[in-house]
């Protein structure tokens, strides 16, 4: 049984910083893609950033230059450094991992960007 647990969400002021982390547990041999999605109220879930085994990254245009994704394969963790967040970044953020054909999701962590 693979489980993903997010941490680090909360309230952050516009222009501040916040770091999200996600740790995977269970029977895991190798992880292909690690990523973060988000869903704002009334909107569909969207990709924020992802990082492929080997280091290639993809970012949503709206977060490029502000957010940074990183992974630690040994610890089976992925992190999202959120710098200069904006109110429109307010959403529930979900961790995602693709274990070469098997997809897993965390339960989500709420990020609220407000002064």
């Amino acid at each position: 049984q693979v489980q993903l647990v997010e941490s680090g969400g909360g309230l952050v002021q516009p222009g501040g910083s916040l770091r999200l982390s996600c740790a995977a547990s269970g029977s895991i041999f190798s992880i292909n893609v690690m990523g973060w999605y988000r869903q704002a109220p009334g909107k569909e879930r969207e990709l924020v950033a992802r990082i492929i085994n080997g280091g290639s990254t993809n970012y949503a245009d709206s977060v490029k230059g502000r957010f940074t994704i990183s992974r630690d394969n040994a610890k089976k963790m992925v992190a999202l450094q959120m710098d200069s967040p904006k109110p429109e970044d307010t959403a529930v953020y979900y961790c995602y991992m693709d274990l070469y054909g098997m997809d897993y999701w965390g339960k989500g962590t709420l990020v609220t960007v407000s002064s």
Side-chain angles (χ1 to χ4, degrees):
Q1 184 91 9
V2 175
Q3 288 188 321
L4 306 184
V5 178
E6 301 103 335
S7 61
L11 176 65
V12 61
Q13 291 188 344
S17 293
L18 195 68
R19 186 176 179 85
L20 304 182
S21 295
C22 174
S25 62
S27 180
I28 300 172
F29 177 71
S30 183
I31 304 172
N32 183 21
V33 181
M34 299 184 185
W36 291 92
Y37 284 70
R38 68 186 181 188
Q39 188 167 18
K43 294 188 177 181
E44 294 187 352
R45 190 175 297 190
E46 63 175 358
L47 174 69
V48 177
R50 67 173 193 162
I51 181 167
I52 301 171
N53 197 10
S56 298
T57 58
N58 299 103
Y59 292 92
D61 287 343
S62 59
V63 307
K64 282 181 181 177
R66 299 188 297 118
F67 292 5
T68 303
I69 190 170
S70 60
R71 64 188 281 167
D72 186 325
N73 289 333
K75 295 182 179 179
K76 301 173 188 175
M77 293 184 67
V78 60
L80 184 70
Q81 179 66 36
M82 304 171 62
D83 295 322
S84 300
K86 303 176 182 179
E88 50 263 43
D89 295 320
T90 295
V92 177
Y93 284 70
Y94 297 90
C95 173
Y96 160 80
M97 293 191 187
D98 165 21
L99 276 59
Y100 290 96
M102 296 290 290
D103 297 343
Y104 295 91
W105 293 86
K107 293 183 178 180
T109 185
L110 177 63
V111 173
T112 303
V113 184
S114 175
S115 56

